[in-house]
Amino acid sequence: MTTFLRDTATVLTRELTPSLREPLGLLFQMGQPLLFLFLFGSLLDGAVGSSWQWFVPGILVMMCLSGPMAAGYSLLIELIGGSMERMLVTPLNRTAMLVGRTLKEMAVLLCQAVLIVLLALPLGFRLYPAGVLAGLALLIVFGVGLGAFSFVLAIRSAPDGTLFYLVTQALLFPLLLLSGVLLPMDSGPAWLRVVGYLNPISYIVDAQRSLFAGDLTDLSVLYGTVATAVIAGLGLFFGNRAMKQGVIR
């Protein structure tokens, strides 16, 4: 365990250093989430109860979905360029390589999430510290699983990366729309609600909204936690196997 944590910290430091050298890039990445937050949040005011309490967790899940995709993209670039081969000859734990890379995206997400919450406070967002901390912890686990899946896709897409671009573009927006991040699914037709129930992301979104509302005992929190654990477990399993078998060809 000590070796795993050390290797994870090593990879995390390697991945995080370039971002720390260019902090303005982190702010530019927040352009779209902020646009959605202020425009959609204002439009939904009164339509879904407390719109900010409903919409801020959704924005954070949206950012969590897009962040791990960047982790897979960076791996794909290293695979195409050949720099990943130099890391594979080191004794670094393969799972630590996955987790460290994804935690970098999660560290960026946490900084951006704190800024989003602070900006939403003057607009009417109520802060429940215990719920917010639990929600952010759940997002980190969720992001690690998504990042591991994106690594699998990046490895299978090398050397041209076509498969990675096609799958990420084809899946990201349907997953967002069918999870109720931007608009409530309750007002949609029956068939759309059924499809939403089959989307595991919708359970995570519901859990986040309950946690950010301070309701830690709501049943949706349990469902969201189970969905998060399943995604993280499967992602790490397939990601670790792909890293061991798929990269070295």
Side-chain angles (χ1 to χ4, degrees):
M1 179 60 70
T2 302
T3 302
F4 172 78
L5 294 177
R6 183 191 62 203
D7 290 348
T8 300
T10 300
V11 176
L12 174 60
T13 302
R14 174 184 180 271
E15 296 296 318
L16 197 58
T17 300
S19 296
L20 293 177
R21 291 174 179 172
E22 298 181 2
L24 290 179
L26 302 180
L27 295 178
F28 286 130
Q29 294 176 16
M30 296 186 63
Q32 188 181 59
L34 288 174
L35 184 65
F36 277 115
L37 177 69
F38 288 112
L39 291 184
F40 273 88
S42 300
L43 290 172
L44 291 172
D45 193 19
V48 288
S50 176
S51 63
W52 302 111
Q53 217 69 33
W54 186 90
F55 200 65
V56 169
I59 287 295
L60 297 183
V61 173
M62 183 181 74
M63 294 170 61
C64 189
L65 277 170
S66 59
M69 294 302 176
Y73 177 76
S74 67
L75 176 63
L76 179 62
I77 295 300
E78 292 189 9
L79 287 171
I80 295 174
S83 60
M84 189 64 188
E85 295 178 2
R86 293 192 290 271
M87 289 193 66
L88 291 173
V89 300
T90 68
L92 284 173
N93 182 282
R94 296 296 183 261
T95 305
M97 293 172 67
L98 295 175
V99 175
R101 282 175 173 269
T102 309
L103 284 180
K104 176 261 180 180
E105 301 299 332
M106 294 301 99
V108 173
L109 173 65
L110 283 177
C111 295
Q112 294 174 335
V114 170
L115 183 56
I116 289 285
V117 170
L118 291 177
L119 290 174
L121 284 175
L123 301 174
F125 177 76
R126 296 183 61 186
L127 183 65
Y128 297 90
V132 169
L133 291 176
L136 293 178
L138 201 64
L139 281 182
I140 291 175
V141 178
F142 175 50
V144 169
L146 284 179
F149 274 121
S150 74
F151 292 141
V152 176
L153 186 58
I155 291 170
R156 297 293 180 249
S157 301
D160 59 358
T162 302
L163 180 63
F164 183 86
Y165 303 127
L166 289 176
V167 174
T168 53
Q169 293 300 316
L171 285 182
L172 182 58
F173 284 103
L175 285 175
L176 282 174
L177 294 175
L178 294 174
S179 63
V181 165
L182 300 178
L183 295 170
M185 297 291 292
D186 295 339
S187 58
W191 68 267
L192 190 62
R193 294 198 300 270
V194 171
V195 176
Y197 292 145
L198 298 177
N199 181 8
I201 311 301
S202 63
Y203 297 99
I204 298 174
V205 173
D206 290 340
Q208 290 295 315
R209 286 175 176 146
S210 295
L211 289 172
F212 274 71
D215 191 358
L216 280 68
T217 60
D218 191 85
L219 193 59
S220 62
V221 176
L222 175 61
Y223 293 151
T225 301
V226 172
T228 300
V230 170
I231 291 173
L234 291 176
L236 288 175
F237 172 77
F238 287 110
N240 192 44
R241 189 172 69 172
M243 186 68 76
K244 290 179 178 179
Q245 300 177 355
V247 175
I248 306 175
R249 293 192 279 257

